[in-house]
Amino acid sequence: MKNIISNINKAFDHRVRLGIMSVLMVNEHADFTTLRELLGVTDGNIASHIKALEKKDYVKVEKSFIDRKPNTRYIATKKGREDFQKHIDAIESLLGQQQLKP
Amino acid sequence: MKNIISNINKAFDHRVRLGIMSVLMVNEHADFTTLRELLGVTDGNIASHIKALEKKDYVKVEKSFIDRKPNTRYIATKKGREDFQKHIDAIESLLGQQQLKP
């Protein structure tokens, strides 16, 4: 039997990752500082979660220069968007259907 | 500035806890075996997450005998229900509003 949490993706199962992905779902890209400020977590914390999402191919990094200053920005990949949507659908369906048979 | 994940409750921020709470939100109670089967995780895993939810006063335990056999069942407390609802609202609002200003 399939269990009720099997569609919840471990790679997204943390509030910082939920936060990063939800920002990147509706914005073409976001830079490190923006993400850090929106999420209110430390550099190291956010970096480690981004790294994990990168490793899964859910987020990609673009490095460039803006006014000669280095700028790093993050973009959700197609796979990232698709799998995150599935994750959200799994949470919603988990919340909607757990009435046990008497 | 309040950050966008500050209303996401750390105590619920794990798929096993989401699973336990979502079962207990719509059922008056559930026993250990039922939870374990629904969630498909090991005894130790589920026990440690229930313990954490108990510690936060989100879940309470009732021990009784059914046909002379010991039975342990779990119930979401009023506080647990309220805080879980807030957690869900926080996730929904996180997912709905992250368009950055250009």
Side-chain angles (χ1 to χ4, degrees):
Chain A
M1 193 185 74
K2 224 169 150 55
N3 66 64
I4 61 171
I5 55 173
S6 54
N7 289 323
I8 295 189
N9 190 332
K10 280 187 192 176
F12 297 129
D13 195 17
H14 187 286
R15 60 198 200 114
V16 173
R17 297 189 195 176
L18 271 187
I20 293 168
M21 289 305 297
S22 72
V23 171
L24 297 182
M25 286 293 274
V26 288
N27 296 281
E28 228 172 284
H29 49 76
D31 63 22
F32 191 87
T33 315
T34 305
L35 283 177
R36 190 189 53 199
E37 280 171 9
L38 284 171
L39 302 178
V41 292
T42 63
D43 283 22
N45 193 335
I46 207 163
S48 80
H49 287 296
I50 287 177
K51 186 70 90 187
L53 293 169
E54 257 191 273
K55 233 175 153 173
K56 296 285 285 182
D57 255 338
Y58 288 157
V59 166
K60 65 181 178 190
V61 186
E62 269 185 14
K63 289 176 190 285
S64 62
F65 285 84
I66 296 178
D67 295 335
R68 296 193 190 173
K69 281 189 203 150
N71 179 271
T72 301
R73 60 190 202 180
Y74 302 94
I75 295 157
T77 63
K78 186 166 175 285
K79 187 183 168 208
R81 289 175 174 274
E82 287 169 359
D83 284 8
F84 189 66
Q85 191 55 55
K86 282 183 205 155
H87 176 71
I88 297 309
D89 293 346
I91 291 177
E92 278 176 4
S93 109
L94 173 65
L95 295 170
Q97 62 172 5
Q98 298 321 321
Q99 187 88 44
L100 300 173
K101 301 214 169 55
Chain B
M1 192 187 77
K2 225 170 151 54
N3 66 64
I4 61 171
I5 55 172
S6 54
N7 290 323
I8 296 189
N9 191 332
K10 281 187 191 176
F12 297 129
D13 195 17
H14 187 286
R15 59 197 200 115
V16 173
R17 298 189 195 176
L18 271 187
I20 293 169
M21 289 306 297
S22 72
V23 171
L24 297 182
M25 285 293 274
V26 288
N27 296 280
E28 230 172 282
H29 50 76
D31 63 22
F32 190 87
T33 315
T34 304
L35 284 177
R36 190 189 52 199
E37 281 171 9
L38 284 171
L39 302 178
V41 292
T42 63
D43 283 21
N45 193 335
I46 207 163
S48 80
H49 288 296
I50 286 178
K51 186 70 91 186
L53 293 169
E54 258 192 272
K55 234 177 154 171
K56 297 284 286 183
D57 254 340
Y58 287 157
V59 166
K60 66 182 177 189
V61 185
E62 270 185 12
K63 289 177 190 283
S64 62
F65 284 84
I66 296 177
D67 295 336
R68 297 193 189 173
K69 281 189 202 149
N71 180 271
T72 301
R73 61 192 201 179
Y74 302 94
I75 296 158
T77 63
K78 185 164 176 286
K79 187 184 168 205
R81 288 175 174 274
E82 287 170 359
D83 284 7
F84 189 66
Q85 190 55 56
K86 282 183 206 157
H87 176 72
I88 296 310
D89 294 346
I91 291 177
E92 279 176 4
S93 111
L94 173 66
L95 295 170
Q97 63 172 2
Q98 297 321 320
Q99 187 87 43
L100 300 173
K101 298 205 174 60

